[in-house]
Amino acid sequence: MSPTHIPPTQKGNPLSPLSWLKQASFNILCMGLVVGFIHSGIKNLSKGEKVLYYFLALFIWRYLRFCINIIGFWTYKAAPMPKSNANYHPGRDVTVVIPTVDPLGVDFHECLTSCARNGPRKIIIVTAGEDLYEKTLGAVAPVMDEFPLVNFLVTRTEIANKRKQVAHVIRYINTPITVLVDDHVFWNSPDLLKSLLAPFEDNQVGIVGTNKRVRRLEGLSVWRRFWNMLGCLYLDRHNFEIRATNAIDGGVFVVSGRTVGIRTCILEDKQFQAGYLHEMFFFGLLGPLNPDDDNYIARYMVTNGWKLRIQYTKDAEIETTVGVGEPVHTKFLGQCRRWARSTWRSNTSSLFTEGTVWATQPYCVYAVYLTSFTNFALFTDAALVYLFTQSSWYFDAAEPKYALAALLSWIIFTKTIKVFRYFSTYPQDIWLFPAYVLFAYFHSFIKLWALFTFYDHAWSGRNLAALTKGEKKDDGEELSPQSLCDDDEISDLDIGPSESPVLLKPMSPKGSQSATITKA
């Protein structure tokens, strides 16, 4: 495979203002007709009884998407891997980028090794500050020895900021596909990249997400086991939703940055870089954001006419760690608050600031964005039970207690579907299911608190500022990756030609000695 391979031309297909207006108007009209039809049906069923009308309206609002999502989940089809004449190959067309601030952590070595086992053309590890840079060099060296056919490059920015770390390395990417990977993610299959590349055979696909799992650890105390289970169920629920909605209208609420494939031409676009590095929110008054990077990327794809695809296959399955960091409960709850704030910020941007979804993802407008504003399980479930017990359907039932039991059974049933895979795989955790339901109700308060504190965009769960304490601070004026730092002021691994990664030469900053590590 020639390293000079040029893939087919790719370009997004953004809507013109007139096309957006036509499609959005048509979709809103259709939504209005559906709402009118449902209103007419509810009105006939309730026969003028207001309490019953409100119960049925809330029930349908909450559970119509559940029923449609089940259909979407089972009708979903992953992109097949080409048997021949594929446009993309891992060893020729893929660069893996791993931002890290914990190169000596227990997960980093396994993460790096699993990526290298897939045989990409290049792996770039970008850290922050001189101290972490030196530690990263030491952590990468043994993996490089184990995989001599993979090119490795290590670099760093001056401060720990994932967006700036990613933007900094764009200059070093010379492949059509870039795969961004978190440093605590593990690729289970040596064919993950092959599966991830399959959707890119469609030239309109700009981004591809993966099948995500949280690693369930053995030998934990009951307390830690509970939080680890919550982490597992969190991603299982996400998998269900993104697989379903992506099958229905091509939309998702986010393409997780834990492992995501992106066309490099998109990362190189100056418009993308400007927004990525300086994303503001709340009418441009707050920011710039460091978290929410994967939300920004997904919204950029939608706005600029790129397709989003989820590759939900066994080969494209990744594992990560959630709910095991110390202190386990405060770290996980901090992550939940950050994720909930991201949802409030990103969903309002999709609907009201950018608005492209009204024209391109009509189902997601209802099933993802609008319903997220009312998705407080504790309050909606309580309202359903209260309204039902005040309605004629309850009082006129032959056995009211059985009618109420049927409603409660339905509510519990809907909570099991998204997490069925986990409990069927680990039946020893079924006894913890009631605790999961209680936490799901408690999460309503987390989401409400996140709404009131949406302005807080700290990276909960990790003190990034302390990692580069004492380092030279970034002046905050850089925009493009070319201006983040000059080539002669940064220390990188000179890997030589891509086809012969023989010599590892970490070049020191100005005025210092260079070290050379020769591969055996």
Side-chain angles (χ1 to χ4, degrees):
M1 293 180 292
S2 170
T4 59
H5 164 75
I6 300 176
T9 301
Q10 319 90 20
K11 189 176 182 180
N13 187 28
L15 295 173
S16 67
L18 182 59
S19 296
W20 177 87
L21 181 61
K22 289 180 179 179
Q23 294 187 32
S25 299
F26 176 77
N27 290 336
I28 292 172
L29 175 62
C30 291
M31 292 178 197
L33 292 175
V34 171
V35 171
F37 177 78
I38 293 174
H39 165 73
S40 178
I42 294 175
K43 192 174 181 180
N44 289 334
L45 281 174
S46 60
K47 298 177 181 179
E49 183 184 344
K50 287 187 176 180
V51 172
L52 183 56
Y53 178 91
Y54 294 145
F55 167 76
L56 291 172
L58 181 58
F59 186 91
I60 293 174
W61 173 258
R62 181 157 173 75
Y63 293 116
L64 177 62
R65 70 174 182 133
F66 169 78
C67 297
I68 298 175
N69 279 352
I70 289 179
I71 297 173
F73 183 87
W74 289 111
T75 56
Y76 163 88
K77 292 183 179 179
M81 288 190 284
K83 296 181 179 179
S84 61
N85 300 321
N87 286 310
Y88 302 100
H89 301 274
R92 180 187 66 195
D93 301 310
V94 177
T95 295
V96 175
V97 175
I98 308 176
T100 184
V101 291
D102 190 20
L104 302 184
V106 295
D107 296 333
F108 178 74
H109 181 270
E110 183 180 355
C111 170
L112 185 59
T113 301
S114 69
C115 292
R117 190 178 296 118
N118 271 259
R121 179 174 177 180
K122 184 189 297 183
I123 297 179
I124 302 176
I125 304 95
V126 53
T127 187
E130 294 299 327
D131 181 57
L132 285 175
Y133 171 70
E134 295 298 331
K135 292 176 180 177
T136 304
L137 284 176
V140 171
V143 181
M144 189 193 69
D145 290 334
E146 186 178 352
F147 298 94
L149 298 181
V150 177
N151 302 302
F152 292 83
L153 184 147
V154 176
T155 185
R156 87 284 187 252
T157 55
E158 292 176 342
I159 62 173
N161 181 302
K162 182 179 179 182
R163 296 196 189 212
K164 289 194 174 183
Q165 287 172 266
V166 170
H168 169 64
V169 303
I170 294 174
R171 72 180 84 173
Y172 301 115
I173 301 172
N174 55 0
T175 57
I177 304 296
T178 300
V179 178
L180 303 180
V181 183
D182 283 353
D183 64 356
H184 53 280
V185 164
F186 323 112
W187 294 359
N188 291 330
S189 170
D191 292 325
L192 182 141
L193 284 180
K194 293 180 182 178
S195 183
L196 188 68
L197 289 174
F200 286 113
E201 296 297 317
D202 179 349
N203 292 334
Q204 288 297 307
V205 172
I207 186 169
V208 178
T210 54
N211 177 14
K212 310 179 298 296
R213 306 290 180 204
V214 169
R215 177 172 290 179
R216 181 186 180 277
L217 302 181
E218 299 289 347
L220 300 178
S221 65
V222 173
W223 178 248
R224 290 175 59 83
R225 181 177 171 184
F226 167 69
W227 294 102
N228 185 203
M229 178 197 71
L230 290 181
C232 294
L233 298 181
Y234 173 81
L235 282 194
D236 272 26
R237 288 169 54 86
H238 277 204
N239 274 347
F240 177 88
E241 292 180 6
I242 63 176
R243 168 172 161 163
T245 59
N246 197 235
I248 294 171
D249 69 359
V252 292
F253 69 94
V254 67
V255 182
S256 172
R258 291 177 175 88
T259 291
V260 58
I262 305 173
R263 292 195 186 274
T264 305
C265 62
I266 297 173
L267 298 177
E268 292 172 337
D269 186 87
K270 294 187 182 300
Q271 180 186 1
F272 170 86
Q273 295 171 16
Y276 185 68
L277 290 171
H278 294 276
E279 182 186 1
M280 308 297 287
F281 65 102
F282 197 60
F283 309 106
L285 299 176
L286 301 176
L289 286 170
N290 183 11
D292 306 2
D293 54 298
D294 44 9
N295 296 83
Y296 170 82
I297 294 174
R299 294 199 315 273
Y300 181 88
M301 299 292 173
V302 174
T303 302
N304 288 273
W306 292 96
K307 293 180 182 178
L308 301 83
R309 287 291 178 265
I310 300 299
Q311 189 69 342
Y312 193 102
T313 66
K314 189 64 178 177
D315 281 330
E317 181 180 284
I318 62 111
E319 277 191 324
T320 186
T321 52
V322 177
V324 294
E326 292 290 355
V328 61
H329 59 290
T330 56
K331 184 175 178 65
F332 182 75
L333 291 175
Q335 290 174 313
C336 287
R337 289 193 297 272
R338 172 164 59 86
W339 295 330
R341 290 181 184 122
S342 294
T343 299
W344 284 114
R345 289 191 292 258
S346 185
N347 285 4
T348 52
S349 293
S350 294
L351 281 178
F352 307 122
T353 304
E354 295 156 5
T356 308
V357 293
W358 291 95
T360 60
Q361 299 174 7
Y363 176 70
C364 282
V365 167
Y366 154 66
V368 173
Y369 302 111
L370 292 177
T371 54
S372 70
F373 300 145
T374 61
N375 190 20
F376 296 88
L378 177 63
F379 308 136
T380 53
D381 288 359
L384 282 171
V385 171
Y386 173 78
L387 290 170
F388 180 73
T389 57
Q390 301 302 308
S391 72
S392 60
W393 281 14
Y394 177 77
F395 290 116
D396 295 344
E399 294 286 349
K401 61 181 179 181
Y402 291 143
L404 178 60
L407 174 62
L408 295 175
S409 298
W410 169 260
I411 292 174
I412 294 299
F413 168 74
T414 60
K415 298 184 186 302
T416 63
I417 294 299
K418 296 179 183 179
V419 298
F420 179 79
R421 184 212 65 87
Y422 176 83
F423 286 110
S424 62
T425 305
Y426 305 107
Q428 62 268 39
D429 284 350
I430 289 179
W431 67 279
L432 288 172
F433 178 77
Y436 156 69
V437 174
L438 290 176
F439 182 83
Y441 287 133
F442 172 73
H443 191 271
S444 297
F445 294 108
I446 295 178
K447 186 173 179 180
L448 190 61
W449 178 252
L451 171 61
F452 295 143
T453 60
F454 75 95
Y455 54 83
D456 183 351
H457 54 94
W459 199 291
S460 306
R462 179 174 272 177
N463 186 0
L464 296 179
L467 295 171
T468 51
K469 186 178 181 180
E471 298 283 353
K472 178 183 176 183
K473 297 301 179 184
D474 194 0
D475 62 14
E477 296 179 356
E478 296 85 346
L479 188 64
S480 70
Q482 285 73 22
S483 63
L484 283 174
C485 40
D486 296 330
D487 284 339
D488 58 356
E489 293 178 351
I490 204 74
S491 177
D492 304 305
L493 297 184
D494 181 5
I495 59 174
S498 61
E499 65 273 10
S500 57
V502 177
L503 191 64
L504 182 69
K505 296 171 63 181
M507 301 180 297
S508 301
K510 283 183 176 180
S512 60
Q513 296 293 321
S514 295
T516 302
I517 303 174
T518 304
K519 290 177 59 65

